[in-house]
Amino acid sequence: MGKADRYFATGLLMKISYEGYRALLVHAHPDDETINNGSTMALYADLGAKVTLVTCTRGEEGEVLVPELSHLASGAEDKLGEHRVTELADAMKALGITDHRFLAEGEKLYRDSGMMGTEPNNRPDVFWQADLEEASDFLVKVIDEVKPHILITYDEIGGYGHPDHIQAHRVAMRASEKSNWQIQKIYWNTMPKSVLAESMKKMKEVGSDFFGAESVDDLPFAKDDQFVTSVVDGNSHVEKKMAAMKAHLTQISVDGPFFALSNNLGLQVWGHEYYTLVRGEKAEPFDENGRERDLFAGVIL
């Protein structure tokens, strides 16, 4: 099926078959995939594309937002990773994703590194301390098996500087170089300042905090709009994204900023997902700002 056979209506992908198209997403922890790409994943999976998710750690060092589950934390029973595996499975079910793996599952499972400068960050078994060539070799096996047309991961600073996000970027990019399979298009997640500024303004109008930031420049993950080359309008599948967010119970509070944004700004704030194309060429169709609307545009099967 060629580009001309993939058409749009009112800015949304039509319900046509994307069978044969394959996407690979590489994320650091359970819940990262839903926050960044939930609508994109659900949309393309529903259209028939094969969507594969590789998660690099189980998120053992995450903060537990549910008091009755606080005993799972790394500083207590250290069973959060096991619990987040089940949360991720439930989230993938909500998004309609059937192919999910942990990096090096069955060979060597990397542990969550925690934030830079913390004690867990120095453990020899954490992802931040992983040998880049070894870790990327594990991902090469997935790439050679799945043969993805597009790859989605983080930028060189991991979006906001978390060591596991940075390492996921390094591993994904290195694996794409080493693999025998040529990935046609590579995207990095991004969040434009204009969108965040509007969200911050609306939240302040209703007296709600926006991740503790006073201005958009305080947000490390905010990027200049010029970096946005592509946008997916996944509003037709945003309800699935919200269900997946709820599945990540220990990490995303229904009373926290993610759902507060939805309550005050509507679900559209989570329906649009933004990307920077770093390998391959932009292709039609474009939106009014010249951004791609289809990540598979221009892909040759």
Side-chain angles (χ1 to χ4, degrees), residues 159-224:
Y160 68 103
H162 192 294
D164 285 336
H165 288 232
I166 296 172
Q167 189 77 313
H169 161 85
R170 292 174 177 171
V171 168
M173 298 306 292
R174 181 67 180 127
S176 72
E177 296 170 354
K178 294 164 65 173
S179 173
N180 292 322
W181 176 257
Q182 181 66 33
I183 300 173
Q184 295 181 42
K185 301 177 81 175
I186 297 180
Y187 292 93
W188 294 346
N189 294 305
T190 190
M191 179 55 70
K193 284 186 176 181
S194 63
V195 173
L196 291 168
E198 182 64 20
S199 299
M200 182 175 290
K201 177 183 176 183
K202 293 288 183 62
M203 291 292 284
K204 286 184 176 181
E205 287 176 358
V206 297
S208 183
D209 179 61
F210 192 90
F211 299 98
E214 290 298 322
S215 76
V216 70
D217 293 324
D218 296 330
L219 299 170
F221 50 83
K223 300 294 189 296
D224 290 336

Coordinates of all heavy atoms in Angstrom, one line a residue, residues 159-224:
G159 N 14.8 13.7 27.1 CA 13.6 14.6 27.3 C 13.8 15.5 28.5 O 13.6 16.7 28.4
Y160 N 14.2 15.0 29.6 CA 14.4 15.9 30.8 C 15.6 15.5 31.7 O 15.8 16.0 32.8 CB 13.2 15.9 31.7 CG 12.8 14.6 32.4 CD1 13.1 14.5 33.8 CD2 12.3 13.5 31.7 CE1 12.8 13.3 34.4 CE2 11.9 12.4 32.4 CZ 12.2 12.3 33.7 OH 11.9 11.1 34.4
G161 N 16.5 14.6 31.2 CA 17.7 14.4 31.9 C 17.8 13.1 32.7 O 18.8 12.9 33.4
H162 N 16.7 12.3 32.8 CA 16.8 11.1 33.6 C 17.8 10.2 32.9 O 17.8 10.0 31.7 CB 15.4 10.4 33.6 CG 15.3 9.4 34.6 ND1 16.0 8.2 34.5 CD2 14.6 9.2 35.8 CE1 15.8 7.4 35.6 NE2 14.9 8.0 36.3
P163 N 18.7 9.6 33.8 CA 19.8 8.8 33.2 C 19.2 7.6 32.4 O 19.8 7.2 31.4 CB 20.6 8.3 34.4 CG 19.7 8.6 35.6 CD 18.9 9.8 35.2
D164 N 18.1 7.0 32.8 CA 17.6 5.8 32.0 C 17.0 6.3 30.7 O 17.1 5.5 29.7 CB 16.5 5.1 32.8 CG 17.1 4.3 33.9 OD1 18.3 3.9 33.8 OD2 16.4 4.0 34.9
H165 N 16.5 7.5 30.6 CA 16.0 8.0 29.3 C 17.1 8.3 28.4 O 17.1 8.0 27.2 CB 15.2 9.3 29.6 CG 13.8 9.1 30.2 ND1 12.7 9.6 29.7 CD2 13.5 8.4 31.3 CE1 11.6 9.2 30.5 NE2 12.1 8.5 31.5
I166 N 18.2 8.9 29.0 CA 19.4 9.1 28.1 C 20.0 7.8 27.6 O 20.4 7.7 26.4 CB 20.5 9.9 29.0 CG1 19.9 11.3 29.4 CG2 21.8 10.0 28.2 CD1 20.8 12.0 30.4
Q167 N 20.1 6.8 28.5 CA 20.6 5.5 28.1 C 19.7 4.9 27.1 O 20.2 4.2 26.1 CB 20.8 4.7 29.3 CG 21.6 3.4 29.1 CD 23.1 3.6 29.0 OE1 23.5 4.5 28.3 NE2 23.8 2.8 29.6
A168 N 18.4 5.0 27.2 CA 17.5 4.4 26.2 C 17.7 5.0 24.9 O 17.7 4.3 23.8 CB 16.0 4.6 26.7
H169 N 17.9 6.3 24.8 CA 18.3 7.0 23.6 C 19.5 6.5 23.0 O 19.6 6.1 21.8 CB 18.4 8.5 23.9 CG 19.2 9.3 22.8 ND1 18.6 9.7 21.6 CD2 20.5 9.6 22.7 CE1 19.5 10.3 20.9 NE2 20.7 10.2 21.5
R170 N 20.6 6.4 23.8 CA 21.9 5.9 23.3 C 21.8 4.4 22.8 O 22.3 4.1 21.7 CB 22.9 5.9 24.5 CG 23.3 7.3 24.9 CD 24.2 7.2 26.1 NE 24.6 8.5 26.6 CZ 25.3 8.7 27.7 NH1 25.5 7.7 28.6 NH2 25.7 9.9 28.1
V171 N 21.1 3.6 23.5 CA 20.9 2.2 23.1 C 20.1 2.1 21.8 O 20.5 1.4 20.9 CB 20.3 1.4 24.2 CG1 19.8 0.0 23.7 CG2 21.2 1.2 25.4
A172 N 19.0 2.9 21.7 CA 18.2 2.8 20.5 C 18.9 3.3 19.3 O 18.9 2.7 18.2 CB 16.9 3.6 20.7
M173 N 19.6 4.4 19.4 CA 20.3 4.9 18.3 C 21.5 4.0 17.9 O 21.8 3.8 16.7 CB 20.8 6.4 18.6 CG 19.7 7.4 18.9 SD 18.4 7.4 17.6 CE 19.4 8.2 16.2
R174 N 22.2 3.5 18.9 CA 23.3 2.6 18.5 C 22.8 1.3 17.9 O 23.4 0.9 16.9 CB 24.1 2.3 19.8 CG 25.3 1.4 19.6 CD 26.4 2.1 18.8 NE 27.6 1.2 18.6 CZ 28.1 1.0 17.4 NH1 27.6 1.5 16.3 NH2 29.1 0.2 17.3
A175 N 21.8 0.8 18.4 CA 21.2 -0.4 17.8 C 20.7 -0.2 16.4 O 20.9 -1.0 15.5 CB 20.0 -0.9 18.7
S176 N 20.2 1.0 16.1 CA 19.7 1.3 14.7 C 20.9 1.4 13.8 O 20.8 1.1 12.6 CB 18.9 2.6 14.7 OG 19.8 3.8 14.9
E177 N 22.1 1.8 14.3 CA 23.3 1.8 13.5 C 23.8 0.4 13.2 O 24.4 0.1 12.1 CB 24.4 2.7 14.2 CG 24.0 4.1 14.4 CD 25.0 4.8 15.3 OE1 25.9 4.1 15.8 OE2 24.9 6.0 15.4
K178 N 23.7 -0.5 14.2 CA 24.4 -1.8 14.1 C 23.5 -2.8 13.4 O 24.0 -3.8 12.9 CB 24.7 -2.3 15.5 CG 25.7 -1.4 16.2 CD 25.8 -1.7 17.7 CE 26.2 -3.1 18.1 NZ 26.4 -3.2 19.6
S179 N 22.2 -2.6 13.4 CA 21.3 -3.6 12.9 C 21.5 -3.8 11.4 O 21.8 -2.9 10.6 CB 19.9 -3.2 13.2 OG 19.0 -4.1 12.5
N180 N 21.2 -5.0 10.9 CA 21.2 -5.3 9.5 C 20.0 -4.7 8.8 O 20.0 -4.5 7.6 CB 21.3 -6.8 9.2 CG 22.6 -7.4 9.6 OD1 23.7 -6.8 9.5 ND2 22.6 -8.6 10.2
W181 N 19.0 -4.5 9.6 CA 17.7 -3.9 9.1 C 17.8 -2.4 9.0 O 18.2 -1.8 10.1 CB 16.5 -4.3 9.9 CG 15.2 -3.7 9.5 CD1 14.6 -2.7 10.1 CD2 14.4 -4.1 8.4 NE1 13.4 -2.4 9.4 CE2 13.3 -3.2 8.4 CE3 14.6 -5.0 7.3 CZ2 12.3 -3.3 7.4 CZ3 13.6 -5.1 6.4 CH2 12.5 -4.2 6.4
Q182 N 17.5 -1.8 7.9 CA 17.5 -0.3 7.8 C 16.2 0.3 8.2 O 15.2 0.1 7.5 CB 17.8 0.1 6.3 CG 18.0 1.6 6.1 CD 19.1 2.2 6.8 OE1 20.2 1.6 7.0 NE2 19.0 3.4 7.3
I183 N 16.2 1.0 9.3 CA 15.0 1.7 9.8 C 14.8 2.9 8.9 O 15.7 3.8 8.9 CB 15.0 2.0 11.3 CG1 15.2 0.7 12.1 CG2 13.8 2.8 11.7 CD1 15.5 0.9 13.6
Q184 N 13.7 3.1 8.3 CA 13.5 4.2 7.3 C 13.3 5.6 8.0 O 13.8 6.6 7.5 CB 12.3 3.9 6.4 CG 12.5 2.7 5.5 CD 11.4 2.4 4.6 OE1 10.8 3.4 4.0 NE2 11.0 1.2 4.5
K185 N 12.6 5.6 9.2 CA 12.4 6.9 9.8 C 12.6 6.7 11.3 O 12.1 5.7 11.9 CB 11.0 7.4 9.5 CG 10.7 7.6 8.0 CD 9.3 8.0 7.8 CE 9.1 9.5 8.0 NZ 7.7 10.0 7.6
I186 N 13.3 7.6 12.0 CA 13.5 7.6 13.4 C 13.0 8.9 14.0 O 13.3 10.0 13.5 CB 15.0 7.5 13.8 CG1 15.5 6.1 13.3 CG2 15.1 7.6 15.3 CD1 16.9 5.8 13.6
Y187 N 12.2 8.8 15.0 CA 11.5 10.0 15.7 C 12.0 10.1 17.1 O 12.1 9.0 17.8 CB 10.0 9.9 15.6 CG 9.4 10.0 14.2 CD1 9.2 8.9 13.5 CD2 9.1 11.3 13.7 CE1 8.6 9.0 12.2 CE2 8.6 11.4 12.4 CZ 8.3 10.2 11.7 OH 7.8 10.4 10.5
W188 N 12.1 11.3 17.6 CA 12.3 11.5 19.0 C 11.1 12.2 19.6 O 10.5 13.1 18.9 CB 13.6 12.4 19.3 CG 14.9 11.8 18.9 CD1 15.1 10.5 18.6 CD2 16.1 12.5 18.7 NE1 16.4 10.3 18.3 CE2 17.1 11.5 18.4 CE3 16.5 13.8 18.9 CZ2 18.4 11.8 18.1 CZ3 17.9 14.1 18.6 CH2 18.8 13.1 18.3
N189 N 10.7 11.8 20.8 CA 9.5 12.5 21.4 C 9.9 13.9 21.7 O 11.0 14.2 22.1 CB 9.2 11.8 22.7 CG 8.7 10.4 22.5 OD1 7.7 10.2 21.8 ND2 9.3 9.4 23.2
T190 N 8.9 14.8 21.6 CA 9.1 16.2 21.9 C 7.8 16.8 22.4 O 6.7 16.3 22.1 CB 9.7 17.0 20.7 OG1 10.1 18.3 21.2 CG2 8.7 17.2 19.6
M191 N 7.9 17.9 23.2 CA 6.8 18.6 23.6 C 7.0 20.1 23.4 O 7.8 20.7 24.0 CB 6.5 18.4 25.1 CG 5.3 19.1 25.7 SD 3.7 18.8 24.8 CE 3.4 17.1 25.2
P192 N 6.2 20.7 22.4 CA 6.5 22.1 22.0 C 6.1 23.1 23.1 O 5.1 22.9 23.9 CB 5.6 22.3 20.8 CG 4.5 21.3 20.9 CD 5.2 20.1 21.6
K193 N 6.9 24.1 23.2 CA 6.7 25.2 24.3 C 5.3 25.8 24.1 O 4.7 26.2 25.1 CB 7.8 26.2 24.2 CG 9.1 25.8 24.8 CD 10.1 26.9 24.8 CE 11.4 26.5 25.5 NZ 12.4 27.6 25.6
S194 N 4.9 26.0 22.9 CA 3.6 26.7 22.7 C 2.4 25.9 23.3 O 1.5 26.5 23.9 CB 3.3 26.9 21.2 OG 3.2 25.7 20.5
V195 N 2.5 24.6 23.2 CA 1.4 23.8 23.8 C 1.5 23.8 25.3 O 0.5 23.9 26.0 CB 1.6 22.3 23.2 CG1 0.6 21.4 24.0 CG2 1.3 22.3 21.7
L196 N 2.7 23.7 25.8 CA 2.9 23.7 27.3 C 2.5 25.1 27.9 O 1.9 25.2 28.9 CB 4.3 23.4 27.6 CG 4.7 21.9 27.4 CD1 6.2 21.8 27.5 CD2 4.0 21.0 28.4
A197 N 2.8 26.2 27.1 CA 2.5 27.5 27.6 C 1.0 27.7 27.7 O 0.5 28.3 28.7 CB 3.1 28.5 26.7
E198 N 0.3 27.2 26.7 CA -1.2 27.3 26.7 C -1.8 26.5 27.8 O -2.7 27.0 28.5 CB -1.7 26.9 25.4 CG -3.2 27.0 25.2 CD -3.7 28.4 25.3 OE1 -2.9 29.4 25.1 OE2 -4.9 28.6 25.6
S199 N -1.2 25.3 28.0 CA -1.7 24.5 29.1 C -1.5 25.1 30.5 O -2.3 25.1 31.4 CB -1.0 23.1 29.1 OG -1.3 22.5 27.9
M200 N -0.3 25.7 30.6 CA 0.1 26.3 31.9 C -0.9 27.5 32.2 O -1.3 27.7 33.3 CB 1.5 26.8 31.8 CG 2.0 27.5 33.1 SD 3.8 27.9 33.0 CE 4.5 26.2 33.1
K201 N -1.1 28.3 31.1 CA -2.0 29.5 31.3 C -3.4 29.0 31.7 O -4.0 29.6 32.7 CB -2.1 30.2 29.9 CG -3.1 31.4 29.9 CD -3.2 32.0 28.6 CE -4.2 33.1 28.5 NZ -4.3 33.7 27.1
K202 N -4.0 28.0 31.1 CA -5.3 27.5 31.4 C -5.3 27.0 32.8 O -6.3 27.2 33.6 CB -5.8 26.5 30.4 CG -6.0 27.0 29.0 CD -7.2 27.8 28.9 CE -7.5 28.3 27.5 NZ -7.7 27.2 26.6
M203 N -4.3 26.3 33.2 CA -4.3 25.7 34.6 C -4.2 26.8 35.6 O -4.8 26.7 36.7 CB -3.1 24.7 34.7 CG -3.2 23.5 33.8 SD -4.5 22.4 34.4 CE -3.7 21.7 35.8
K204 N -3.4 27.8 35.4 CA -3.3 28.9 36.3 C -4.6 29.7 36.5 O -4.9 30.2 37.5 CB -2.2 29.8 35.9 CG -0.8 29.3 36.2 CD 0.3 30.3 35.8 CE 1.7 29.7 36.2 NZ 2.8 30.7 35.9
E205 N -5.4 29.7 35.4 CA -6.7 30.4 35.4 C -7.6 29.7 36.4 O -8.5 30.4 36.9 CB -7.3 30.5 34.0 CG -6.6 31.5 33.1 CD -7.1 31.4 31.7 OE1 -8.0 30.6 31.4 OE2 -6.7 32.2 30.8
V206 N -7.5 28.4 36.6 CA -8.4 27.7 37.5 C -7.7 27.4 38.8 O -8.1 26.7 39.6 CB -8.8 26.4 36.9 CG1 -9.7 26.7 35.6 CG2 -7.7 25.5 36.5
G207 N -6.5 28.1 39.0 CA -5.8 28.0 40.3 C -5.1 26.7 40.5 O -4.9 26.3 41.7
S208 N -4.7 26.0 39.5 CA -4.1 24.7 39.6 C -2.6 24.8 39.3 O -2.2 25.6 38.4 CB -4.8 23.7 38.7 OG -4.2 22.4 38.9
D209 N -1.8 24.0 40.0 CA -0.4 24.0 39.8 C 0.0 23.3 38.5 O -0.7 22.3 38.1 CB 0.3 23.4 41.0 CG 1.8 23.3 40.8 OD1 2.4 24.4 40.7 OD2 2.3 22.2 40.8
F210 N 1.1 23.6 37.8 CA 1.5 23.0 36.6 C 2.9 22.4 36.8 O 3.9 23.0 36.5 CB 1.5 23.9 35.4 CG 1.6 23.3 34.1 CD1 0.5 22.9 33.4 CD2 2.9 23.0 33.5 CE1 0.7 22.2 32.1 CE2 3.0 22.4 32.3 CZ 1.9 22.0 31.6
F211 N 2.9 21.2 37.4 CA 4.2 20.5 37.7 C 5.2 21.4 38.5 O 6.4 21.2 38.4 CB 4.9 20.1 36.4 CG 4.0 19.1 35.6 CD1 3.3 19.5 34.6 CD2 4.0 17.8 35.9 CE1 2.5 18.6 33.8 CE2 3.3 16.9 35.2 CZ 2.5 17.3 34.1
G212 N 4.6 22.4 39.3 CA 5.5 23.2 40.1 C 6.2 24.3 39.4 O 7.1 25.0 39.9
A213 N 5.9 24.5 38.1 CA 6.7 25.4 37.2 C 6.0 26.8 37.2 O 4.7 26.9 37.2 CB 6.8 24.9 35.8
E214 N 6.8 27.8 37.2 CA 6.2 29.2 37.1 C 6.1 29.6 35.6 O 5.2 30.4 35.3 CB 7.1 30.2 37.8 CG 7.1 30.0 39.3 CD 5.7 30.3 39.9 OE1 5.0 31.2 39.4 OE2 5.3 29.6 40.8
S215 N 7.0 29.2 34.8 CA 6.9 29.5 33.4 C 7.3 28.2 32.6 O 7.9 27.3 33.1 CB 7.8 30.7 33.0 OG 9.2 30.3 33.0
V216 N 7.1 28.3 31.3 CA 7.4 27.1 30.4 C 8.9 26.9 30.4 O 9.3 25.8 30.2 CB 6.8 27.4 29.0 CG1 7.5 28.5 28.3 CG2 6.9 26.1 28.2
D217 N 9.7 28.0 30.6 CA 11.1 27.8 30.6 C 11.7 27.0 31.8 O 12.8 26.6 31.8 CB 11.8 29.2 30.5 CG 11.5 29.9 29.2 OD1 11.5 29.2 28.1 OD2 11.4 31.1 29.2
D218 N 10.8 26.8 32.8 CA 11.2 26.0 33.9 C 11.1 24.5 33.7 O 11.5 23.7 34.5 CB 10.4 26.4 35.2 CG 10.6 27.9 35.6 OD1 11.7 28.4 35.4 OD2 9.6 28.5 36.1
L219 N 10.4 24.2 32.6 CA 10.2 22.8 32.3 C 11.3 22.2 31.4 O 11.5 22.6 30.3 CB 8.8 22.6 31.6 CG 7.6 23.1 32.3 CD1 6.4 23.2 31.4 CD2 7.4 22.2 33.5
P220 N 12.1 21.3 31.9 CA 13.2 20.8 31.1 C 12.8 20.0 29.9 O 13.6 19.9 29.0 CB 13.9 19.8 32.1 CG 12.8 19.4 33.1 CD 11.9 20.6 33.2
F221 N 11.6 19.5 29.8 CA 11.2 18.8 28.6 C 10.5 19.7 27.6 O 10.1 19.2 26.5 CB 10.2 17.7 29.0 CG 9.1 18.1 29.9 CD1 7.9 18.7 29.4 CD2 9.1 17.9 31.3 CE1 6.9 19.1 30.2 CE2 8.1 18.3 32.1 CZ 7.0 18.9 31.6
A222 N 10.4 21.0 27.8 CA 9.8 21.9 26.9 C 10.8 22.2 25.8 O 11.9 22.6 26.0 CB 9.3 23.2 27.6
K223 N 10.4 22.1 24.5 CA 11.2 22.3 23.4 C 10.7 23.4 22.5 O 9.5 23.6 22.4 CB 11.4 21.1 22.5 CG 12.0 19.9 23.3 CD 13.4 20.1 23.7 CE 14.1 18.9 24.3 NZ 13.5 18.4 25.5
D224 N 11.5 24.2 21.9 CA 11.1 25.2 20.9 C 10.3 24.6 19.8 O 10.6 23.5 19.4 CB 12.3 25.9 20.3 CG 13.0 26.8 21.3 OD1 12.4 27.3 22.3 OD2 14.2 27.1 21.1

